[in-house]
Amino acid sequence: MRPIIEFCASNMHHGTDKLMHALEANPDYDVLEYGCLGNCGECYLFPFALVNGEIVAGETAEALEQAVLAKIKEIEDMFDLLSDSD
């Protein structure tokens, strides 16, 4: 399962551009940038991204990175659990 991580171009002033480029370097992730993700309130207030369609946010770009990685691990663990039950 390849997680899809989406970034809003309007949110880059929070430093999420560096995180986006770092995640793009990982071939196991699908990283996309959009002009707008339709979450203007979040976009204005703090760094955020969507991971498989779910909002993940942090107070800083560094905190967002940790939150994104934690969400990816959570999703991977869920898929592992579901595949073990087959």
Side-chain angles (χ1 to χ4, degrees):
M1 191 236 66
R2 293 172 54 95
I4 299 170
I5 307 161
E6 300 168 279
F7 287 89
C8 180
S10 299
N11 193 250
M12 298 299 172
H13 68 279
H14 288 290
T16 55
D17 55 331
K18 293 179 184 114
L19 173 57
M20 183 184 75
H21 294 304
L23 293 171
E24 282 177 327
N26 187 325
D28 294 331
Y29 303 154
D30 287 328
V31 179
L32 305 167
E33 178 184 358
Y34 293 100
C36 180
L37 290 173
N39 297 84
C40 299
E42 289 84 0
C43 189
Y44 175 75
L45 294 174
F46 45 76
F48 88 101
L50 297 179
V51 178
N52 285 4
E54 291 185 47
I55 293 178
V56 177
E59 290 186 23
T60 64
E62 293 79 17
L64 175 60
E65 179 178 15
Q66 295 307 310
V68 166
L69 295 175
K71 177 55 85 175
I72 290 169
K73 174 139 179 40
E74 176 185 317
I75 292 167
E76 288 172 344
D77 289 348
M78 182 175 46
F79 273 96
D80 288 344
L81 182 65
L82 291 173
S83 65
D84 288 344
S85 65
D86 289 340

